[in-house]
């Protein structure tokens, strides 16, 4: 089974509107964590936001917020007031314990977001 | 603060040749990762170092890939001999410790012909 599933290969949004990128996950580790990364065409992965499995409140970082629904095992990224510079690939990733005090990150296949002017 | 540095940025080689990539992590970061990202997919972890020790290399094709992190700072990833399916972007990342946010370098785009 896929550990991280991003069902939207591509998404389009108008500038200044909000957009939600979906992510569902599967793990048996009770202390997992969820990350979102942005990858522009330049190739570098940029950390956006993190949500821990025990966090009571949804994480927010500026225009980014994470809609964390633990029972549904979903961690959707919400980008408010989209900008042209938000056009990029977005990856959801899950951190799980992989042995001892070590953790491993598993990435989804990504969603290509295009912001239209 | 300087980010993760990688070189070269691009490399084209023929199959069966060897190639090496270099990574310099953010100063003070104990954990270093090498990922392989094939076009259209998310990054896949190849190897993870904690200081200069390997903590996870379960997905590293050890018959042709090798990596080292001498003195717990810089790291090199080598492929010998390369195959066509090794064409990908090789990303290096580092983090303060295992499990916290990782910071990525610009990657090395490898083309094997």
């Amino acid at each position: 089974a896929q550990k991280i599933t991003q069902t939207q290969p591509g998404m389009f949004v108008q500038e200044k509107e909000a957009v939600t990128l979906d992510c569902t996950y599967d793990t048996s580790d009770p202390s997992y964590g969820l990350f979102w990364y942005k990858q522009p065409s330049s190739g570098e992965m940029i950390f956006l936001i993190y949500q821990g499995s025990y966090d009571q409140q949804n994480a927010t970082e500026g225009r980014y917020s994470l809609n964390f629904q633990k029972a549904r095992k979903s961690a959707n990224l919400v980008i408010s007031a989209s900008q042209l510079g938000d056009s990029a690939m977005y990856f959801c990733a899950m951190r799980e314990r992989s042995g001892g005090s070590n953790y491993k990150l598993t990435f989804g296949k990504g969603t290509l977001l295009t912001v239209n002017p | 603060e300087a980010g993760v540095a990688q070189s070269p940025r691009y490399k084209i080689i023929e199959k069966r040749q060897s190639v090496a990539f270099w990574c310099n992590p953010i100063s003070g970061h104990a954990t270093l990762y090498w990922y392989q990202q094939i076009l259209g997919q998310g990054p896949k972890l190849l190897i993870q170092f904690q200081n200069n020790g390997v903590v996870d290399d379960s997905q590293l094709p050890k018959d042709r890939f090798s990596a080292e992190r001498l003195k717990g700072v810089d790291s090199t990833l080598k492929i010998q001999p390369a195959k066509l399916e090794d064409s990908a972007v090789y990303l290096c990342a580092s983090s303060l410790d295992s499990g916290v946010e990782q910071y990525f370098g610009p990657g090395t785009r490898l083309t094997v012909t």
Side-chain angles (χ1 to χ4, degrees), chain A residues 35 37 39 42-45 47 91 95 101-105 107-109, chain B residues 9 35 37 40-43 48 55-56 58-59 91 98-99 101-102 104-105:
Chain A
F35 297 81
Y37 283 85
Q39 189 175 43
S42 59
E44 189 166 346
M45 299 280 284
F47 165 70
F91 290 96
R95 179 206 73 195
S101 60
N102 188 52
Y103 292 88
K104 181 176 178 177
L105 205 60
F107 286 82
K109 292 187 176 182
Chain B
R9 291 296 312 277
Y35 290 89
Q37 186 177 20
Q41 299 182 19
Q48 178 177 340
V55 295
D56 188 342
S58 57
Q59 299 191 92
L91 294 164
S98 178
E101 63 267 25
Q102 299 178 19
F104 285 77

PDB file of all heavy atoms in Angstrom, chain A residues 35 37 39 42-45 47 91 95 101-105 107-109, chain B residues 9 35 37 40-43 48 55-56 58-59 91 98-99 101-102 104-105:
ATOM      1  N   PHE A  35       5.002  16.577   6.358  1.00  0.00           N
ATOM      2  CA  PHE A  35       5.667  17.750   5.801  1.00  0.00           C
ATOM      3  C   PHE A  35       5.089  18.047   4.410  1.00  0.00           C
ATOM      4  O   PHE A  35       4.668  17.139   3.699  1.00  0.00           O
ATOM      5  CB  PHE A  35       7.174  17.490   5.612  1.00  0.00           C
ATOM      6  CG  PHE A  35       7.940  17.213   6.873  1.00  0.00           C
ATOM      7  CD1 PHE A  35       7.937  15.954   7.449  1.00  0.00           C
ATOM      8  CD2 PHE A  35       8.706  18.208   7.453  1.00  0.00           C
ATOM      9  CE1 PHE A  35       8.665  15.685   8.600  1.00  0.00           C
ATOM     10  CE2 PHE A  35       9.445  17.944   8.605  1.00  0.00           C
ATOM     11  CZ  PHE A  35       9.426  16.691   9.174  1.00  0.00           C
ATOM     12  N   TYR A  37       6.524  20.093   0.945  1.00  0.00           N
ATOM     13  CA  TYR A  37       7.647  20.745   0.291  1.00  0.00           C
ATOM     14  C   TYR A  37       7.187  21.281  -1.065  1.00  0.00           C
ATOM     15  O   TYR A  37       6.328  20.696  -1.728  1.00  0.00           O
ATOM     16  CB  TYR A  37       8.803  19.760   0.062  1.00  0.00           C
ATOM     17  CG  TYR A  37       9.619  19.457   1.286  1.00  0.00           C
ATOM     18  CD1 TYR A  37       9.230  18.465   2.177  1.00  0.00           C
ATOM     19  CD2 TYR A  37      10.785  20.159   1.552  1.00  0.00           C
ATOM     20  CE1 TYR A  37       9.989  18.178   3.304  1.00  0.00           C
ATOM     21  CE2 TYR A  37      11.555  19.884   2.672  1.00  0.00           C
ATOM     22  CZ  TYR A  37      11.142  18.894   3.551  1.00  0.00           C
ATOM     23  OH  TYR A  37      11.890  18.617   4.660  1.00  0.00           O
ATOM     24  N   GLN A  39       8.629  22.375  -4.874  1.00  0.00           N
ATOM     25  CA  GLN A  39       9.759  22.212  -5.784  1.00  0.00           C
ATOM     26  C   GLN A  39       9.504  23.018  -7.058  1.00  0.00           C
ATOM     27  O   GLN A  39       8.813  22.574  -7.968  1.00  0.00           O
ATOM     28  CB  GLN A  39       9.994  20.739  -6.123  1.00  0.00           C
ATOM     29  CG  GLN A  39      11.282  20.499  -6.900  1.00  0.00           C
ATOM     30  CD  GLN A  39      11.580  19.028  -7.136  1.00  0.00           C
ATOM     31  OE1 GLN A  39      10.685  18.249  -7.473  1.00  0.00           O
ATOM     32  NE2 GLN A  39      12.837  18.633  -6.953  1.00  0.00           N
ATOM     33  N   SER A  42      13.314  25.141 -10.838  1.00  0.00           N
ATOM     34  CA  SER A  42      14.763  25.149 -10.591  1.00  0.00           C
ATOM     35  C   SER A  42      15.234  23.855  -9.922  1.00  0.00           C
ATOM     36  O   SER A  42      16.421  23.525  -9.959  1.00  0.00           O
ATOM     37  CB  SER A  42      15.149  26.336  -9.717  1.00  0.00           C
ATOM     38  OG  SER A  42      14.459  26.273  -8.482  1.00  0.00           O
ATOM     39  N   GLY A  43      14.317  23.120  -9.299  1.00  0.00           N
ATOM     40  CA  GLY A  43      14.655  21.801  -8.768  1.00  0.00           C
ATOM     41  C   GLY A  43      14.851  21.704  -7.269  1.00  0.00           C
ATOM     42  O   GLY A  43      14.807  20.603  -6.719  1.00  0.00           O
ATOM     43  N   GLU A  44      15.089  22.812  -6.610  1.00  0.00           N
ATOM     44  CA  GLU A  44      15.352  22.723  -5.176  1.00  0.00           C
ATOM     45  C   GLU A  44      14.075  22.484  -4.385  1.00  0.00           C
ATOM     46  O   GLU A  44      13.040  23.054  -4.679  1.00  0.00           O
ATOM     47  CB  GLU A  44      16.009  24.020  -4.707  1.00  0.00           C
ATOM     48  CG  GLU A  44      16.527  23.977  -3.287  1.00  0.00           C
ATOM     49  CD  GLU A  44      17.456  25.137  -2.980  1.00  0.00           C
ATOM     50  OE1 GLU A  44      17.897  25.809  -3.924  1.00  0.00           O
ATOM     51  OE2 GLU A  44      17.753  25.343  -1.794  1.00  0.00           O
ATOM     52  N   MET A  45      14.137  21.620  -3.404  1.00  0.00           N
ATOM     53  CA  MET A  45      12.990  21.333  -2.540  1.00  0.00           C
ATOM     54  C   MET A  45      12.978  22.340  -1.394  1.00  0.00           C
ATOM     55  O   MET A  45      13.965  22.494  -0.689  1.00  0.00           O
ATOM     56  CB  MET A  45      13.097  19.923  -1.950  1.00  0.00           C
ATOM     57  CG  MET A  45      13.126  18.827  -2.980  1.00  0.00           C
ATOM     58  SD  MET A  45      11.484  18.440  -3.581  1.00  0.00           S
ATOM     59  CE  MET A  45      10.854  17.506  -2.222  1.00  0.00           C
ATOM     60  N   PHE A  47      11.159  23.554   2.111  1.00  0.00           N
ATOM     61  CA  PHE A  47      10.275  23.169   3.201  1.00  0.00           C
ATOM     62  C   PHE A  47       9.213  24.246   3.419  1.00  0.00           C
ATOM     63  O   PHE A  47       9.521  25.441   3.494  1.00  0.00           O
ATOM     64  CB  PHE A  47      11.096  22.969   4.476  1.00  0.00           C
ATOM     65  CG  PHE A  47      10.275  22.924   5.731  1.00  0.00           C
ATOM     66  CD1 PHE A  47       9.452  21.842   6.004  1.00  0.00           C
ATOM     67  CD2 PHE A  47      10.315  23.963   6.641  1.00  0.00           C
ATOM     68  CE1 PHE A  47       8.687  21.793   7.148  1.00  0.00           C
ATOM     69  CE2 PHE A  47       9.568  23.925   7.802  1.00  0.00           C
ATOM     70  CZ  PHE A  47       8.750  22.854   8.055  1.00  0.00           C
ATOM     71  N   PHE A  91       5.031  18.496  -2.833  1.00  0.00           N
ATOM     72  CA  PHE A  91       5.153  17.132  -2.330  1.00  0.00           C
ATOM     73  C   PHE A  91       4.744  17.060  -0.870  1.00  0.00           C
ATOM     74  O   PHE A  91       5.169  17.878  -0.044  1.00  0.00           O
ATOM     75  CB  PHE A  91       6.593  16.635  -2.448  1.00  0.00           C
ATOM     76  CG  PHE A  91       7.045  16.397  -3.866  1.00  0.00           C
ATOM     77  CD1 PHE A  91       7.753  17.371  -4.549  1.00  0.00           C
ATOM     78  CD2 PHE A  91       6.754  15.208  -4.499  1.00  0.00           C
ATOM     79  CE1 PHE A  91       8.166  17.158  -5.856  1.00  0.00           C
ATOM     80  CE2 PHE A  91       7.163  14.979  -5.808  1.00  0.00           C
ATOM     81  CZ  PHE A  91       7.866  15.958  -6.482  1.00  0.00           C
ATOM     82  N   ARG A  95       7.034  11.406   7.932  1.00  0.00           N
ATOM     83  CA  ARG A  95       8.153  10.949   8.737  1.00  0.00           C
ATOM     84  C   ARG A  95       7.654   9.828   9.650  1.00  0.00           C
ATOM     85  O   ARG A  95       6.650   9.977  10.335  1.00  0.00           O
ATOM     86  CB  ARG A  95       8.685  12.097   9.585  1.00  0.00           C
ATOM     87  CG  ARG A  95       9.846  11.730  10.483  1.00  0.00           C
ATOM     88  CD  ARG A  95       9.899  12.640  11.686  1.00  0.00           C
ATOM     89  NE  ARG A  95       8.828  12.328  12.620  1.00  0.00           N
ATOM     90  CZ  ARG A  95       8.458  13.129  13.607  1.00  0.00           C
ATOM     91  NH1 ARG A  95       9.031  14.295  13.756  1.00  0.00           N
ATOM     92  NH2 ARG A  95       7.480  12.779  14.425  1.00  0.00           N
ATOM     93  N   SER A 101      16.324   5.551  17.295  1.00  0.00           N
ATOM     94  CA  SER A 101      15.921   6.961  17.328  1.00  0.00           C
ATOM     95  C   SER A 101      15.924   7.574  15.927  1.00  0.00           C
ATOM     96  O   SER A 101      15.893   8.777  15.770  1.00  0.00           O
ATOM     97  CB  SER A 101      16.868   7.745  18.235  1.00  0.00           C
ATOM     98  OG  SER A 101      18.193   7.642  17.743  1.00  0.00           O
ATOM     99  N   ASN A 102      15.988   6.702  14.928  1.00  0.00           N
ATOM    100  CA  ASN A 102      16.081   7.188  13.561  1.00  0.00           C
ATOM    101  C   ASN A 102      14.713   7.315  12.914  1.00  0.00           C
ATOM    102  O   ASN A 102      13.806   6.512  13.167  1.00  0.00           O
ATOM    103  CB  ASN A 102      16.943   6.230  12.741  1.00  0.00           C
ATOM    104  CG  ASN A 102      17.245   6.775  11.379  1.00  0.00           C
ATOM    105  OD1 ASN A 102      17.709   7.888  11.246  1.00  0.00           O
ATOM    106  ND2 ASN A 102      16.944   5.995  10.357  1.00  0.00           N
ATOM    107  N   TYR A 103      14.570   8.324  12.060  1.00  0.00           N
ATOM    108  CA  TYR A 103      13.336   8.553  11.321  1.00  0.00           C
ATOM    109  C   TYR A 103      13.612   8.539   9.831  1.00  0.00           C
ATOM    110  O   TYR A 103      14.702   8.873   9.390  1.00  0.00           O
ATOM    111  CB  TYR A 103      12.716   9.900  11.701  1.00  0.00           C
ATOM    112  CG  TYR A 103      12.205   9.957  13.111  1.00  0.00           C
ATOM    113  CD1 TYR A 103      13.048  10.335  14.153  1.00  0.00           C
ATOM    114  CD2 TYR A 103      10.895   9.633  13.403  1.00  0.00           C
ATOM    115  CE1 TYR A 103      12.575  10.398  15.450  1.00  0.00           C
ATOM    116  CE2 TYR A 103      10.415   9.695  14.695  1.00  0.00           C
ATOM    117  CZ  TYR A 103      11.266  10.075  15.717  1.00  0.00           C
ATOM    118  OH  TYR A 103      10.801  10.124  17.001  1.00  0.00           O
ATOM    119  N   LYS A 104      12.586   8.185   9.079  1.00  0.00           N
ATOM    120  CA  LYS A 104      12.688   8.127   7.626  1.00  0.00           C
ATOM    121  C   LYS A 104      11.557   8.935   7.020  1.00  0.00           C
ATOM    122  O   LYS A 104      10.438   8.942   7.535  1.00  0.00           O
ATOM    123  CB  LYS A 104      12.595   6.673   7.178  1.00  0.00           C
ATOM    124  CG  LYS A 104      12.701   6.434   5.696  1.00  0.00           C
ATOM    125  CD  LYS A 104      12.697   4.947   5.423  1.00  0.00           C
ATOM    126  CE  LYS A 104      12.762   4.652   3.945  1.00  0.00           C
ATOM    127  NZ  LYS A 104      12.823   3.198   3.698  1.00  0.00           N
ATOM    128  N   LEU A 105      11.861   9.623   5.913  1.00  0.00           N
ATOM    129  CA  LEU A 105      10.873  10.447   5.217  1.00  0.00           C
ATOM    130  C   LEU A 105      10.481   9.764   3.915  1.00  0.00           C
ATOM    131  O   LEU A 105      11.345   9.359   3.141  1.00  0.00           O
ATOM    132  CB  LEU A 105      11.490  11.820   4.926  1.00  0.00           C
ATOM    133  CG  LEU A 105      10.585  13.013   4.749  1.00  0.00           C
ATOM    134  CD1 LEU A 105       9.765  13.269   5.984  1.00  0.00           C
ATOM    135  CD2 LEU A 105      11.412  14.253   4.428  1.00  0.00           C
ATOM    136  N   PHE A 107       8.092  10.302   0.466  1.00  0.00           N
ATOM    137  CA  PHE A 107       7.414  11.335  -0.308  1.00  0.00           C
ATOM    138  C   PHE A 107       6.309  10.754  -1.166  1.00  0.00           C
ATOM    139  O   PHE A 107       6.388   9.618  -1.634  1.00  0.00           O
ATOM    140  CB  PHE A 107       8.414  12.046  -1.229  1.00  0.00           C
ATOM    141  CG  PHE A 107       9.342  12.980  -0.528  1.00  0.00           C
ATOM    142  CD1 PHE A 107      10.467  12.526   0.110  1.00  0.00           C
ATOM    143  CD2 PHE A 107       9.075  14.340  -0.511  1.00  0.00           C
ATOM    144  CE1 PHE A 107      11.332  13.393   0.764  1.00  0.00           C
ATOM    145  CE2 PHE A 107       9.926  15.221   0.132  1.00  0.00           C
ATOM    146  CZ  PHE A 107      11.058  14.749   0.780  1.00  0.00           C
ATOM    147  N   GLY A 108       5.281  11.584  -1.403  1.00  0.00           N
ATOM    148  CA  GLY A 108       4.275  11.243  -2.395  1.00  0.00           C
ATOM    149  C   GLY A 108       4.790  11.582  -3.787  1.00  0.00           C
ATOM    150  O   GLY A 108       5.920  12.027  -3.958  1.00  0.00           O
ATOM    151  N   LYS A 109       3.915  11.380  -4.791  1.00  0.00           N
ATOM    152  CA  LYS A 109       4.325  11.604  -6.172  1.00  0.00           C
ATOM    153  C   LYS A 109       4.215  13.059  -6.590  1.00  0.00           C
ATOM    154  O   LYS A 109       4.705  13.436  -7.661  1.00  0.00           O
ATOM    155  CB  LYS A 109       3.501  10.727  -7.102  1.00  0.00           C
ATOM    156  CG  LYS A 109       3.800   9.245  -6.941  1.00  0.00           C
ATOM    157  CD  LYS A 109       3.103   8.407  -7.988  1.00  0.00           C
ATOM    158  CE  LYS A 109       3.515   6.951  -7.850  1.00  0.00           C
ATOM    159  NZ  LYS A 109       2.901   6.089  -8.883  1.00  0.00           N
TER     160      LYS A 109
ATOM    161  N   ARG B   9      26.178  20.489 -10.924  1.00  0.00           N
ATOM    162  CA  ARG B   9      24.742  20.678 -11.095  1.00  0.00           C
ATOM    163  C   ARG B   9      24.208  19.772 -12.202  1.00  0.00           C
ATOM    164  O   ARG B   9      23.062  19.314 -12.135  1.00  0.00           O
ATOM    165  CB  ARG B   9      24.431  22.133 -11.443  1.00  0.00           C
ATOM    166  CG  ARG B   9      24.666  23.114 -10.304  1.00  0.00           C
ATOM    167  CD  ARG B   9      23.721  22.852  -9.123  1.00  0.00           C
ATOM    168  NE  ARG B   9      22.339  22.692  -9.513  1.00  0.00           N
ATOM    169  CZ  ARG B   9      21.503  23.700  -9.725  1.00  0.00           C
ATOM    170  NH1 ARG B   9      21.911  24.938  -9.577  1.00  0.00           N
ATOM    171  NH2 ARG B   9      20.240  23.461 -10.077  1.00  0.00           N
ATOM    172  N   TYR B  35      18.987  11.485  -1.896  1.00  0.00           N
ATOM    173  CA  TYR B  35      17.756  11.026  -2.527  1.00  0.00           C
ATOM    174  C   TYR B  35      17.973  10.915  -4.037  1.00  0.00           C
ATOM    175  O   TYR B  35      18.748  11.675  -4.625  1.00  0.00           O
ATOM    176  CB  TYR B  35      16.619  12.022  -2.299  1.00  0.00           C
ATOM    177  CG  TYR B  35      16.096  12.097  -0.887  1.00  0.00           C
ATOM    178  CD1 TYR B  35      16.656  12.961   0.049  1.00  0.00           C
ATOM    179  CD2 TYR B  35      15.004  11.321  -0.495  1.00  0.00           C
ATOM    180  CE1 TYR B  35      16.156  13.053   1.340  1.00  0.00           C
ATOM    181  CE2 TYR B  35      14.487  11.398   0.791  1.00  0.00           C
ATOM    182  CZ  TYR B  35      15.068  12.266   1.700  1.00  0.00           C
ATOM    183  OH  TYR B  35      14.560  12.346   2.981  1.00  0.00           O
ATOM    184  N   GLN B  37      15.638  11.275  -7.436  1.00  0.00           N
ATOM    185  CA  GLN B  37      14.328  11.696  -7.912  1.00  0.00           C
ATOM    186  C   GLN B  37      14.247  11.471  -9.421  1.00  0.00           C
ATOM    187  O   GLN B  37      14.848  12.214 -10.201  1.00  0.00           O
ATOM    188  CB  GLN B  37      14.040  13.156  -7.577  1.00  0.00           C
ATOM    189  CG  GLN B  37      12.622  13.579  -7.929  1.00  0.00           C
ATOM    190  CD  GLN B  37      12.296  14.998  -7.534  1.00  0.00           C
ATOM    191  OE1 GLN B  37      13.179  15.824  -7.328  1.00  0.00           O
ATOM    192  NE2 GLN B  37      11.005  15.304  -7.406  1.00  0.00           N
ATOM    193  N   GLY B  40       9.066  12.951 -12.710  1.00  0.00           N
ATOM    194  CA  GLY B  40       7.657  12.671 -12.480  1.00  0.00           C
ATOM    195  C   GLY B  40       7.349  11.963 -11.186  1.00  0.00           C
ATOM    196  O   GLY B  40       6.199  11.620 -10.919  1.00  0.00           O
ATOM    197  N   GLN B  41       8.375  11.746 -10.359  1.00  0.00           N
ATOM    198  CA  GLN B  41       8.168  11.058  -9.088  1.00  0.00           C
ATOM    199  C   GLN B  41       8.692  11.888  -7.927  1.00  0.00           C
ATOM    200  O   GLN B  41       9.416  12.866  -8.123  1.00  0.00           O
ATOM    201  CB  GLN B  41       8.878   9.699  -9.106  1.00  0.00           C
ATOM    202  CG  GLN B  41       8.367   8.756 -10.178  1.00  0.00           C
ATOM    203  CD  GLN B  41       9.060   7.411 -10.121  1.00  0.00           C
ATOM    204  OE1 GLN B  41       9.665   7.024  -9.117  1.00  0.00           O
ATOM    205  NE2 GLN B  41       8.959   6.665 -11.214  1.00  0.00           N
ATOM    206  N   GLY B  42       8.320  11.471  -6.729  1.00  0.00           N
ATOM    207  CA  GLY B  42       8.868  12.111  -5.551  1.00  0.00           C
ATOM    208  C   GLY B  42      10.251  11.563  -5.244  1.00  0.00           C
ATOM    209  O   GLY B  42      10.645  10.507  -5.756  1.00  0.00           O
ATOM    210  N   PRO B  43      11.020  12.261  -4.433  1.00  0.00           N
ATOM    211  CA  PRO B  43      12.353  11.770  -4.074  1.00  0.00           C
ATOM    212  C   PRO B  43      12.278  10.444  -3.321  1.00  0.00           C
ATOM    213  O   PRO B  43      11.374  10.230  -2.512  1.00  0.00           O
ATOM    214  CB  PRO B  43      12.901  12.881  -3.168  1.00  0.00           C
ATOM    215  CG  PRO B  43      12.092  14.092  -3.484  1.00  0.00           C
ATOM    216  CD  PRO B  43      10.734  13.584  -3.841  1.00  0.00           C
ATOM    217  N   GLN B  48      21.055   7.439   4.401  1.00  0.00           N
ATOM    218  CA  GLN B  48      20.972   8.443   5.459  1.00  0.00           C
ATOM    219  C   GLN B  48      22.142   8.250   6.409  1.00  0.00           C
ATOM    220  O   GLN B  48      22.417   7.126   6.861  1.00  0.00           O
ATOM    221  CB  GLN B  48      19.651   8.311   6.216  1.00  0.00           C
ATOM    222  CG  GLN B  48      19.469   9.265   7.369  1.00  0.00           C
ATOM    223  CD  GLN B  48      18.109   9.132   8.023  1.00  0.00           C
ATOM    224  OE1 GLN B  48      17.168   8.609   7.433  1.00  0.00           O
ATOM    225  NE2 GLN B  48      17.987   9.605   9.249  1.00  0.00           N
ATOM    226  N   VAL B  55      22.803   5.114   8.869  1.00  0.00           N
ATOM    227  CA  VAL B  55      21.670   4.624   9.662  1.00  0.00           C
ATOM    228  C   VAL B  55      20.608   3.964   8.787  1.00  0.00           C
ATOM    229  O   VAL B  55      19.773   3.224   9.295  1.00  0.00           O
ATOM    230  CB  VAL B  55      21.039   5.732  10.521  1.00  0.00           C
ATOM    231  CG1 VAL B  55      22.014   6.211  11.572  1.00  0.00           C
ATOM    232  CG2 VAL B  55      20.566   6.916   9.682  1.00  0.00           C
ATOM    233  N   ASP B  56      20.618   4.248   7.485  1.00  0.00           N
ATOM    234  CA  ASP B  56      19.645   3.614   6.592  1.00  0.00           C
ATOM    235  C   ASP B  56      20.197   3.627   5.178  1.00  0.00           C
ATOM    236  O   ASP B  56      20.411   4.692   4.615  1.00  0.00           O
ATOM    237  CB  ASP B  56      18.297   4.346   6.637  1.00  0.00           C
ATOM    238  CG  ASP B  56      17.183   3.616   5.876  1.00  0.00           C
ATOM    239  OD1 ASP B  56      17.481   2.740   5.047  1.00  0.00           O
ATOM    240  OD2 ASP B  56      16.003   3.922   6.134  1.00  0.00           O
ATOM    241  N   SER B  58      18.877   0.997   3.078  1.00  0.00           N
ATOM    242  CA  SER B  58      18.086  -0.135   2.607  1.00  0.00           C
ATOM    243  C   SER B  58      17.682  -0.021   1.141  1.00  0.00           C
ATOM    244  O   SER B  58      17.414  -1.034   0.496  1.00  0.00           O
ATOM    245  CB  SER B  58      16.838  -0.295   3.481  1.00  0.00           C
ATOM    246  OG  SER B  58      16.070   0.897   3.487  1.00  0.00           O
ATOM    247  N   GLN B  59      17.624   1.179   0.587  1.00  0.00           N
ATOM    248  CA  GLN B  59      17.216   1.346  -0.806  1.00  0.00           C
ATOM    249  C   GLN B  59      18.379   1.745  -1.711  1.00  0.00           C
ATOM    250  O   GLN B  59      18.164   2.172  -2.850  1.00  0.00           O
ATOM    251  CB  GLN B  59      16.076   2.377  -0.905  1.00  0.00           C
ATOM    252  CG  GLN B  59      14.826   1.955  -0.145  1.00  0.00           C
ATOM    253  CD  GLN B  59      13.634   2.826  -0.460  1.00  0.00           C
ATOM    254  OE1 GLN B  59      12.852   2.534  -1.348  1.00  0.00           O
ATOM    255  NE2 GLN B  59      13.486   3.916   0.284  1.00  0.00           N
ATOM    256  N   LEU B  91      19.462  14.408  -5.096  1.00  0.00           N
ATOM    257  CA  LEU B  91      19.295  15.477  -4.123  1.00  0.00           C
ATOM    258  C   LEU B  91      19.998  15.122  -2.828  1.00  0.00           C
ATOM    259  O   LEU B  91      19.878  14.012  -2.325  1.00  0.00           O
ATOM    260  CB  LEU B  91      17.806  15.701  -3.831  1.00  0.00           C
ATOM    261  CG  LEU B  91      16.950  16.225  -4.982  1.00  0.00           C
ATOM    262  CD1 LEU B  91      15.475  16.022  -4.682  1.00  0.00           C
ATOM    263  CD2 LEU B  91      17.231  17.687  -5.233  1.00  0.00           C
ATOM    264  N   SER B  98      17.762  13.591  13.024  1.00  0.00           N
ATOM    265  CA  SER B  98      16.806  12.767  12.294  1.00  0.00           C
ATOM    266  C   SER B  98      15.392  13.107  12.729  1.00  0.00           C
ATOM    267  O   SER B  98      15.121  13.270  13.914  1.00  0.00           O
ATOM    268  CB  SER B  98      17.098  11.295  12.570  1.00  0.00           C
ATOM    269  OG  SER B  98      16.162  10.475  11.919  1.00  0.00           O
ATOM    270  N   GLY B  99      14.478  13.253  11.753  1.00  0.00           N
ATOM    271  CA  GLY B  99      13.071  13.449  12.077  1.00  0.00           C
ATOM    272  C   GLY B  99      12.582  14.876  12.002  1.00  0.00           C
ATOM    273  O   GLY B  99      11.377  15.110  11.991  1.00  0.00           O
ATOM    274  N   GLU B 101      12.748  18.902  10.093  1.00  0.00           N
ATOM    275  CA  GLU B 101      12.685  19.314   8.690  1.00  0.00           C
ATOM    276  C   GLU B 101      14.054  19.242   8.031  1.00  0.00           C
ATOM    277  O   GLU B 101      15.071  19.580   8.628  1.00  0.00           O
ATOM    278  CB  GLU B 101      12.093  20.723   8.528  1.00  0.00           C
ATOM    279  CG  GLU B 101      12.875  21.837   9.152  1.00  0.00           C
ATOM    280  CD  GLU B 101      12.394  22.135  10.557  1.00  0.00           C
ATOM    281  OE1 GLU B 101      11.818  21.239  11.205  1.00  0.00           O
ATOM    282  OE2 GLU B 101      12.611  23.267  11.005  1.00  0.00           O
ATOM    283  N   GLN B 102      14.002  18.773   6.781  1.00  0.00           N
ATOM    284  CA  GLN B 102      15.220  18.627   6.006  1.00  0.00           C
ATOM    285  C   GLN B 102      15.347  19.805   5.055  1.00  0.00           C
ATOM    286  O   GLN B 102      14.360  20.301   4.526  1.00  0.00           O
ATOM    287  CB  GLN B 102      15.167  17.321   5.206  1.00  0.00           C
ATOM    288  CG  GLN B 102      15.060  16.092   6.082  1.00  0.00           C
ATOM    289  CD  GLN B 102      14.960  14.815   5.291  1.00  0.00           C
ATOM    290  OE1 GLN B 102      15.301  14.759   4.110  1.00  0.00           O
ATOM    291  NE2 GLN B 102      14.508  13.751   5.924  1.00  0.00           N
ATOM    292  N   PHE B 104      17.189  20.997   1.548  1.00  0.00           N
ATOM    293  CA  PHE B 104      17.709  20.364   0.344  1.00  0.00           C
ATOM    294  C   PHE B 104      18.657  21.271  -0.422  1.00  0.00           C
ATOM    295  O   PHE B 104      18.503  22.496  -0.437  1.00  0.00           O
ATOM    296  CB  PHE B 104      16.556  19.973  -0.586  1.00  0.00           C
ATOM    297  CG  PHE B 104      15.787  18.772  -0.121  1.00  0.00           C
ATOM    298  CD1 PHE B 104      14.865  18.876   0.904  1.00  0.00           C
ATOM    299  CD2 PHE B 104      15.993  17.537  -0.706  1.00  0.00           C
ATOM    300  CE1 PHE B 104      14.140  17.758   1.337  1.00  0.00           C
ATOM    301  CE2 PHE B 104      15.282  16.417  -0.292  1.00  0.00           C
ATOM    302  CZ  PHE B 104      14.367  16.532   0.736  1.00  0.00           C
ATOM    303  N   GLY B 105      19.593  20.626  -1.092  1.00  0.00           N
ATOM    304  CA  GLY B 105      20.454  21.315  -2.035  1.00  0.00           C
ATOM    305  C   GLY B 105      19.775  21.429  -3.390  1.00  0.00           C
ATOM    306  O   GLY B 105      18.664  20.925  -3.578  1.00  0.00           O
TER     307      GLY B 105
END
